[in-house]
């Protein structure tokens, strides 16, 4: 993969955000990871700190990573912290909540989406998504959770390029270098859950989607046939997440 034209990409994304932001401004869910930190920086650059609201939504109020809190404060944005465990527990009390990690994790993501949209609706803001191209193509997001947003400013950047742009935009190094995680359960990381490193994943996705090479013809140094098959399965399974629900067309 070629390196990203960081200056050019930054300019395009900032303008993209600026053109789509209403008078009220934007709201961004802040996890403490590189994606949300980069989007936060680009929003501040596009519309200003006064029109950028950051929402921390950890399990408990003390669960906000110090690195992202300090970064948000350094940018001078408005920010709030909402502990989601009491909300999750309220769902659990009414039954139907499995102990299975993925079920619980998806519910937490959907709770966070609802909180962002409550702020959006009440204050005339737009909800800015933080998903990247690697996540979108492989379906590594929760439908109607972190996938429920108004627009995706870094949705055309592979994770590899997100890291490059984050460095260019001045995101703190401890945020850039930490293992990527959706924070859905203790010890969870993106690469562990995907079963492949982002370095390998991005090279395969780039070769297939950008260079037009069929999956069964992808031949890259350090990439095994098993790696390619895994990525193909992920992209195929992601298809329903990337389209509107099917509509039954009734003949009239």
């Amino acid at each position: 993969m070629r390196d990203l034209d960081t200056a050019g990409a930054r300019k395009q994304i900032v303008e993209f955000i600026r053109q789509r932001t209403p008078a009220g401004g934007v709201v961004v869910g802040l996890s403490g990871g590189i994606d949300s930190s980069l989007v936060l920086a680009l929003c501040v650059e596009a519309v200003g700190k006064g029109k950028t609201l950051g929402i921390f939504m950890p399990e408990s109020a003390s669960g906000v990573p110090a690195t992202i809190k300090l970064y948000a404060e350094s940018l001078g944005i408005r920010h709030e912290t909402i502990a989601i465990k009491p909300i999750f527990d309220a769902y659990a009390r009414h039954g139907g909540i499995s102990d299975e990690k993925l079920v619980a994790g998806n519910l937490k993501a959907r709770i966070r989406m609802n909180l962002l949209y409550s702020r959006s609706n009440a204050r005339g803001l737009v909800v800015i998504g933080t998903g990247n191209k690697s996540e979108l193509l492989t379906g590594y997001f929760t439908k109607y959770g972190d996938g429920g947003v108004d627009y995706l400013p870094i949705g055309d950047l592979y994770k590899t390029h997100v890291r490059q742009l984050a460095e260019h935009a001045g995101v703190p190094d401890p945020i850039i270098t930490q293992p990527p995680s959706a924070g859905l359960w203790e010890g969870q990381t993106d690469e562990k859950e995907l079963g492949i490193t982002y370095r390998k994943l991005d090279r395969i996705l780039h070769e297939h989607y950008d260079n037009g090479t069929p999956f069964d013809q992808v031949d890259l140094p350090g990439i095994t046939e098993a790696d390619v098959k895994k990525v193909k399965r992920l992209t195929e399974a992601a298809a329903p997440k990337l389209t509107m629900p099917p509509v039954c067309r009734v003949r009239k």
Side-chain angles (χ1 to χ4, degrees):
M1 291 177 65
R2 289 182 298 178
D3 287 343
L4 181 70
D5 172 9
T6 50
R10 183 174 178 175
K11 181 178 180 181
Q12 290 178 66
I13 294 171
V14 165
E15 187 58 27
F16 176 93
I17 296 170
R18 186 176 292 133
Q19 289 179 358
R20 289 162 178 78
T21 299
V26 303
V27 58
V28 184
L30 301 175
S31 66
I34 186 173
D35 298 306
S36 64
S37 299
L38 172 59
V39 169
L40 177 63
L42 296 172
C43 284
V44 171
E45 186 173 346
V47 301
K49 60 184 180 181
K51 289 189 175 183
T52 302
L53 172 64
I55 307 288
F56 301 111
M57 294 170 284
E59 295 273 331
S60 63
S62 62
V64 178
T67 48
I68 184 61
K69 190 170 184 180
L70 289 171
Y71 184 51
E73 290 172 352
S74 74
L75 292 174
I77 66 159
R78 299 171 292 153
H79 58 84
E80 302 174 17
T81 300
I82 306 171
I84 69 165
K85 190 174 188 303
I87 304 172
F88 181 87
D89 289 345
Y91 275 93
R93 282 196 297 272
H94 292 280
I97 305 303
S98 167
D99 292 333
E100 202 273 320
K101 287 181 178 180
L102 185 59
V103 175
N106 282 335
L107 176 57
K108 292 172 188 177
R110 290 176 178 131
I111 288 170
R112 290 174 173 128
M113 180 275 292
N114 276 283
L115 291 171
L116 290 173
Y117 271 99
S118 69
R119 295 301 189 274
S120 167
N121 295 159
R123 304 181 188 182
L125 313 176
V126 289
V127 177
I128 308 301
T130 62
N132 59 61
K133 191 171 184 175
S134 306
E135 294 169 340
L136 295 176
L137 290 177
T138 57
Y140 192 65
F141 60 90
T142 298
K143 193 172 185 178
Y144 309 125
D146 50 325
V149 299
D150 290 319
Y151 56 84
L152 292 156
I154 62 170
D156 196 38
L157 299 184
Y158 292 110
K159 189 76 168 189
T160 302
H161 291 151
V162 168
R163 291 190 178 109
Q164 293 171 10
L165 187 55
E167 292 176 0
H168 186 267
V171 174
D173 190 61
I175 294 176
I176 294 174
T177 57
Q178 69 181 326
S181 171
L184 298 178
W185 56 80
E186 187 69 29
Q188 184 260 346
T189 67
D190 294 2
E191 293 179 331
K192 187 187 300 182
E193 195 173 357
L194 286 165
I196 189 170
T197 66
Y198 273 117
R199 179 175 173 78
K200 288 184 175 182
L201 175 66
D202 287 354
R203 291 171 63 205
I204 296 168
L205 291 173
H206 178 269
E207 184 65 23
H208 177 69
Y209 287 99
D210 295 82
N211 292 344
T213 305
F215 276 120
D216 60 6
Q217 295 179 26
V218 171
D219 184 13
L220 297 168
I223 301 294
T224 67
E225 183 179 351
D227 292 330
V228 177
K229 286 182 176 180
K230 177 181 288 291
V231 174
K232 183 181 180 183
R233 287 195 301 270
L234 288 170
T235 59
E236 289 173 345
K241 288 186 174 184
L242 300 174
T243 58
M244 291 294 290
V247 174
C248 175
R249 298 298 180 187
V250 178
R251 290 191 294 271
K252 301 180 179 67

